[in-house]
Amino acid sequence: MNIRYELTKNPKNKPTADNPLTFGTIFTDHMFVMDYNPTDGWNDARVVPYAPLVLEPSAMVFHYGQEMFEGMKAYKAEDGRVLLFRPDKNIERANNTNERICIPTIPEEDFLQVIKAVVKTDQDWIPTKPGTSLYIRPFIIATDPFLGVRPSSTYKFVIILSPVGAYYPEGLNPVKIWIEDEYVRAVRGGLGEAKAGANYVASLKAQVKAHDAGYSQVLWLDGVERKYIEEVGAMNIFFKIAGTVVTPALNGSILPGVTRRSCIELCQSWGYPVEERKISADELFEAAQNGTLEEVWGTGTAAVISPVGHLRKDDAVVQIGDGGIGELSQKLYDTVTGIQLGKIEGPEGWVVVVE
Ligand SMILES: *Cc1c(COP(=O)(O)O)cnc(C)c1O
């Protein structure tokens, strides 16, 4: 794929090392853009200065929400190499999302090439302090100027980059989780397994409710029986119960996380029994009561591993372990971030060098 470059004449000031980075608030000098129309397919691939997009107010994305996104990170290793973590998994998932919401797919090798191109252009923006990285946000929006419900025939694919600090500024601290039994995020047959903005709109109300009650994240139950655990806000969820690692099976309404898959594979390689299955909130509270609920943690690109210290459903609150960080959660965090930074050798193909 041929990529055109139009580099900025006004580079921005990069964040200074003594200023702690937050998450998703500052953006680099450039972005990647390409367009789609039925005649040319994906075309005019370009790296251009980061700037506002100009769209018709009638653009379909504003009215019917035809939008997808991805989230991944680039890291700078101590030897200066720029590393991506399992980008093939994000690209495969992006195209599954595209299929689900009627957006034309992007050839996998082109997708990887354009990610590398824009990351390489702004590689000086990759922070190097522990816990920091360059967050990569590819997304696609429907751009037909049209009111009426059908798939758009034109699209814009954009990749923006954001230097980020730790997702939770407090560090690897246990979070408090609210089990939501009124609102649901997704149902089987819906969009739950697609990475689409629409899922997040559906989640806002419960998130506000949980925040108001002093909880940082919502743990979703299944949309039909509201009994079985699905996932947390933007993370998949894991439990260690009597030595066994348990995570909800991918049932169609759960987002198939790359970090989830990686944790399953690491736990298996360390000899832990791992079960991907249905697990009810009742089973969880029982395990907590009889002392077999040893650890709970969330997994996602943004936070990597997020230990859970408290769970609440209705008026029942349980503390997990001593409310601190579990041993396996810490080991997973150290191992996954070690692999991402090129300090630990991971399984074959997990780390891709941007050249
Ligand atoms: C992105 C996302 C995850 C985590 O997926 P990763 O690939 O591990 O970052 C989990 N749940 C939802 C709803 C998500 O959007």
Side-chain angles (χ1 to χ4, degrees):
M1 163 168 282
N2 195 26
I3 303 171
R4 160 168 86 78
Y5 286 82
E6 180 193 329
L7 300 184
T8 184
K9 295 189 179 66
N10 305 299
K12 297 185 260 195
N13 290 327
K14 297 184 181 67
T16 52
D18 46 309
N19 231 347
L21 287 166
T22 52
F23 195 93
T25 48
I26 52 176
F27 301 94
T28 65
D29 282 324
H30 297 92
M31 61 183 185
F32 173 81
V33 185
M34 77 177 167
D35 302 305
Y36 181 92
N37 69 57
T39 319
D40 306 314
W42 287 110
N43 69 90
D44 198 12
R46 56 212 189 260
V47 171
V48 294
Y50 178 94
L53 299 173
V54 177
L55 296 168
E56 299 258 357
S58 55
M60 290 182 77
V61 65
F62 295 135
H63 308 279
Y64 312 110
Q66 198 187 5
E67 184 265 357
M68 66 78 70
F69 68 96
E70 265 301 326
M72 53 203 295
K73 285 174 171 175
Y75 304 82
K76 195 163 272 177
E78 264 168 17
D79 60 10
R81 287 178 311 157
V82 175
L83 307 177
L84 301 172
F85 183 70
R86 309 189 82 175
D88 52 314
K89 296 284 168 209
N90 292 89
I91 292 169
E92 185 187 326
R93 183 173 68 194
N95 277 333
N96 289 339
T97 300
N98 285 338
E99 294 272 4
R100 177 63 184 82
I101 59 175
C102 302
I103 293 175
T105 57
I106 297 173
E108 291 183 12
E109 58 281 10
D110 292 345
F111 207 132
L112 184 59
Q113 185 197 345
V114 304
I115 290 171
K116 286 179 172 177
V118 70
V119 168
K120 193 169 178 193
T121 304
D122 280 345
Q123 61 173 309
D124 290 347
W125 281 83
I126 306 176
T128 52
K129 268 198 182 171
T132 66
S133 58
L134 186 71
Y135 187 77
I136 305 169
R137 167 53 57 86
F139 63 99
I140 303 176
I141 51 173
T143 52
D144 274 8
F146 177 70
L147 298 184
V149 178
R150 59 155 172 76
S152 181
S153 60
T154 59
Y155 297 89
K156 215 176 252 307
F157 173 50
V158 183
I159 305 174
I160 54 174
L161 307 171
S162 175
V164 296
Y167 192 68
Y168 296 107
E170 325 84 83
L172 195 63
N173 272 342
V175 293
K176 290 168 75 184
I177 300 265
W178 172 278
I179 302 180
E180 174 59 40
D181 58 7
E182 181 185 2
Y183 301 108
V184 301
R185 169 187 174 274
V187 291
R188 237 160 300 157
L191 293 184
E193 64 183 357
K195 213 166 170 75
N199 287 321
Y200 282 83
V201 173
S203 77
L204 294 177
K205 190 85 179 165
Q207 191 184 307
V208 169
K209 184 175 152 189
H211 274 206
D212 287 350
Y215 285 73
S216 64
Q217 298 266 333
V218 171
L219 179 59
W220 299 101
L221 298 177
D222 74 280
V224 179
E225 294 175 79
R226 295 189 222 187
K227 221 170 119 182
Y228 297 98
I229 306 286
E230 298 235 304
E231 62 175 306
V232 201
M235 293 190 288
N236 296 109
I237 188 95
F238 283 78
F239 309 100
K240 184 159 159 273
I241 304 174
T244 295
V245 174
V246 181
T247 191
L250 299 178
N251 60 356
S253 55
I254 294 174
L255 201 285
V258 179
T259 322
R260 173 188 181 278
R261 174 61 30 214
S262 305
C263 284
I264 290 173
E265 290 168 15
L266 286 173
C267 286
Q268 283 169 337
S269 76
W270 295 332
Y272 287 96
V274 180
E275 295 176 2
E276 295 180 67
R277 62 167 170 90
K278 271 182 149 177
I279 173 165
S280 66
D282 288 347
E283 179 183 343
L284 210 58
F285 277 82
E286 245 163 65
Q289 247 123 49
N290 66 28
T292 53
L293 180 59
E294 294 156 353
E295 292 185 40
V296 181
W297 67 92
T299 65
T301 296
V304 188
I305 302 293
S306 186
V308 175
H310 287 84
L311 287 168
R312 171 176 172 159
K313 184 165 182 281
D314 303 322
D315 289 329
V317 181
V318 293
Q319 178 178 301
I320 292 100
D322 58 3
I325 300 162
E327 202 180 314
L328 181 55
S329 312
Q330 184 73 53
K331 184 174 178 186
L332 281 166
Y333 180 82
D334 294 342
T335 307
V336 175
T337 55
I339 294 170
Q340 289 169 333
L341 283 164
K343 286 185 181 159
I344 299 175
E345 183 151 7
E348 173 139 26
W350 279 24
V351 162
V352 171
V353 182
V354 175
E355 286 165 311

